[in-house]
Amino acid sequence: MLYMIGLGLGDAKDITVKGLEIIKKCSRVYLESYTSILSVNQKTLEDFYGCSLIIADRDLVESDADSILSNVENEEIAFLVVGDPFGATTHTDLVLRAQEKGAKVQVIHNASILSAIGCCGLQLYSFGETVSIPYWTETWQPDSFYDKIASNRERGLHTLCLLDIKVKEPTLESILSKKKVYMPPKFMSVAEASDQLISILEKKRKDTDKNLAFTEHSLVVGLARIGSEDQNIISCSLQEMKEIDLGKPLHSLIIPAEKLHPLEMNFLRQYAIDKIKFDECVAH
């Protein structure tokens, strides 16, 4: 049996009772470590779960999944995922591979950012397609996520932007030399994401006469460490968010719909860094 177990968003204690009971009976327990992170380290998890964890990085999951699934038809194997097990498509691939080997698969769900994001007061039913904002490089600066945000705004929907994380990413030099050297981990902040979005807006203004889907003065919501005791939520203009420091990762950014329900507006207002400017953003 392969068990896909969601860990929730905060710390070690966010795992479900069912998930914890299953972990304790498994012969191997893998911790996926590249699509998200918890606020606690590996040792804290091991102490609470009462077992050793095998770190499953991107290389292992995407290139060597067979080692994870070796003898899965005869063993009890747990694969732990921060949030919910199906928050990343990579994990659906692992399930299909296990099934091809004749193993049974059981999924233990948990809270994910896709549902917990409702804590800011925006209605979940009013969210459109979720987008990912990747780190730019000097030679690679994609902006296709702008079009998805624009499409959501046209339909009166909010957009959740998941921000890039880099964990165990090889340097360009090591890729070329075929000797793996990894960059230090880094996690995109709401300020970095806002800066990239503003750069896209500036480029769009030069390239088209059409109205922009949003501007630097539009209301945005920055969120950090959702599900943790020190979670932080800020609402302000995109231009202001460029200067905001929400502290440690993980961060998320929301581009709300142009028109908000009165309850949404009242709830978001409590997170405004400046109530007067917040009202101006909503009216903009």
Side-chain angles (χ1 to χ4, degrees), residues 7-15 36-40 82-84 110-120 222-233 246 248-252 271:
L7 300 183
L9 295 170
D11 56 30
K13 294 181 180 179
D14 281 351
I15 191 170
S36 190
I37 58 168
L38 285 177
S39 60
V40 293
V82 176
D84 188 80
N110 210 321
S112 79
I113 191 64
L114 298 177
S115 57
I117 205 70
C119 69
C120 72
L223 309 98
R225 301 173 300 282
I226 295 304
S228 301
E229 291 183 1
D230 65 342
Q231 75 174 29
N232 198 354
I233 303 174
L246 288 185
K248 298 179 297 183
L250 291 170
H251 292 190
S252 301
Y271 300 121

Side-chain angles (χ1 to χ4, degrees), residues 16-78:
T16 63
V17 173
K18 185 176 184 180
L20 185 57
E21 289 176 345
I22 289 172
I23 286 175
K24 292 181 180 296
K25 72 176 184 179
C26 287
S27 57
R28 282 182 284 148
V29 182
Y30 291 88
L31 174 64
E32 187 263 278
S33 66
Y34 64 93
T35 59
S36 190
I37 58 168
L38 285 177
S39 60
V40 293
N41 59 33
Q42 180 181 345
K43 186 179 186 308
T44 301
L45 294 177
E46 290 177 334
D47 289 344
F48 186 74
Y49 298 156
C51 68
S52 297
L53 301 178
I54 305 168
I55 296 300
D57 59 20
R58 185 185 298 274
D59 285 345
L60 180 62
V61 178
E62 295 186 349
S63 304
D64 194 20
D66 287 342
S67 66
I68 297 174
L69 299 175
S70 62
N71 202 38
V72 67
E73 59 272 27
N74 300 309
E75 274 188 85
E76 305 282 294
I77 299 171

Side-chain angles (χ1 to χ4, degrees), residues 250-267:
L250 291 170
H251 292 190
S252 301
L253 185 70
I254 299 174
I255 314 296
E258 188 171 357
K259 294 182 179 180
L260 299 177
H261 187 282
L263 287 176
E264 292 180 311
M265 185 169 60
N266 290 337
F267 205 99

Side-chain angles (χ1 to χ4, degrees), residues 133-143 145 164 166 169-173 175 183 186 188 192 195-196 199-200:
I133 299 183
Y135 272 114
W136 281 353
T137 68
E138 291 184 3
T139 58
W140 187 71
Q141 299 185 356
D143 61 6
F145 49 87
D164 201 4
K166 298 290 187 185
E169 293 281 337
T171 63
L172 178 59
E173 293 78 7
I175 294 173
M183 295 184 288
K186 64 177 182 176
M188 183 180 286
E192 290 172 313
D195 185 49
Q196 288 189 187
S199 295
I200 291 172

Side-chain angles (χ1 to χ4, degrees), residues 46-267:
E46 290 177 334
D47 289 344
F48 186 74
Y49 298 156
C51 68
S52 297
L53 301 178
I54 305 168
I55 296 300
D57 59 20
R58 185 185 298 274
D59 285 345
L60 180 62
V61 178
E62 295 186 349
S63 304
D64 194 20
D66 287 342
S67 66
I68 297 174
L69 299 175
S70 62
N71 202 38
V72 67
E73 59 272 27
N74 300 309
E75 274 188 85
E76 305 282 294
I77 299 171
F79 189 82
L80 313 184
V81 182
V82 176
D84 188 80
F86 291 133
T89 54
T90 298
H91 307 134
T92 59
D93 179 64
L94 192 65
V95 168
L96 291 174
R97 286 170 176 261
Q99 291 172 339
E100 288 172 0
K101 288 177 170 287
K104 294 180 180 179
V105 177
Q106 184 175 348
V107 179
I108 294 84
H109 294 285
N110 210 321
S112 79
I113 191 64
L114 298 177
S115 57
I117 205 70
C119 69
C120 72
L122 295 175
Q123 298 171 2
L124 290 180
Y125 285 156
S126 296
F127 276 82
E129 182 177 359
T130 299
V131 306
S132 296
I133 299 183
Y135 272 114
W136 281 353
T137 68
E138 291 184 3
T139 58
W140 187 71
Q141 299 185 356
D143 61 6
S144 58
F145 49 87
Y146 168 87
D147 297 324
K148 295 180 180 180
I149 298 171
S151 177
N152 285 340
R153 292 268 291 187
E154 287 172 4
R155 292 178 289 149
L157 301 174
H158 314 308
T159 305
L160 169 61
C161 304
L162 301 179
L163 310 187
D164 201 4
I165 70 175
K166 298 290 187 185
V167 179
K168 205 173 180 183
E169 293 281 337
T171 63
L172 178 59
E173 293 78 7
S174 73
I175 294 173
L176 296 175
S177 67
K178 297 183 179 180
K179 181 182 179 181
K180 292 204 172 171
V181 177
Y182 299 102
M183 295 184 288
K186 64 177 182 176
F187 307 88
M188 183 180 286
S189 68
V190 291
E192 290 172 313
S194 299
D195 185 49
Q196 288 189 187
L197 283 170
I198 290 172
S199 295
I200 291 172
L201 294 177
E202 292 171 349
K203 183 175 184 295
K204 293 287 182 184
R205 284 194 183 96
K206 296 176 182 178
D207 295 346
T208 180
D209 294 328
K210 295 180 181 179
N211 291 331
L212 295 171
F214 57 94
T215 73
E216 296 89 338
H217 306 293
S218 297
L219 179 69
V220 297
V221 185
L223 309 98
R225 301 173 300 282
I226 295 304
S228 301
E229 291 183 1
D230 65 342
Q231 75 174 29
N232 198 354
I233 303 174
I234 291 289
S235 58
C236 61
S237 70
L238 180 63
Q239 184 66 54
E240 290 174 304
M241 191 64 75
K242 182 180 173 182
E243 307 300 326
I244 293 293
D245 180 7
L246 288 185
K248 298 179 297 183
L250 291 170
H251 292 190
S252 301
L253 185 70
I254 299 174
I255 314 296
E258 188 171 357
K259 294 182 179 180
L260 299 177
H261 187 282
L263 287 176
E264 292 180 311
M265 185 169 60
N266 290 337
F267 205 99

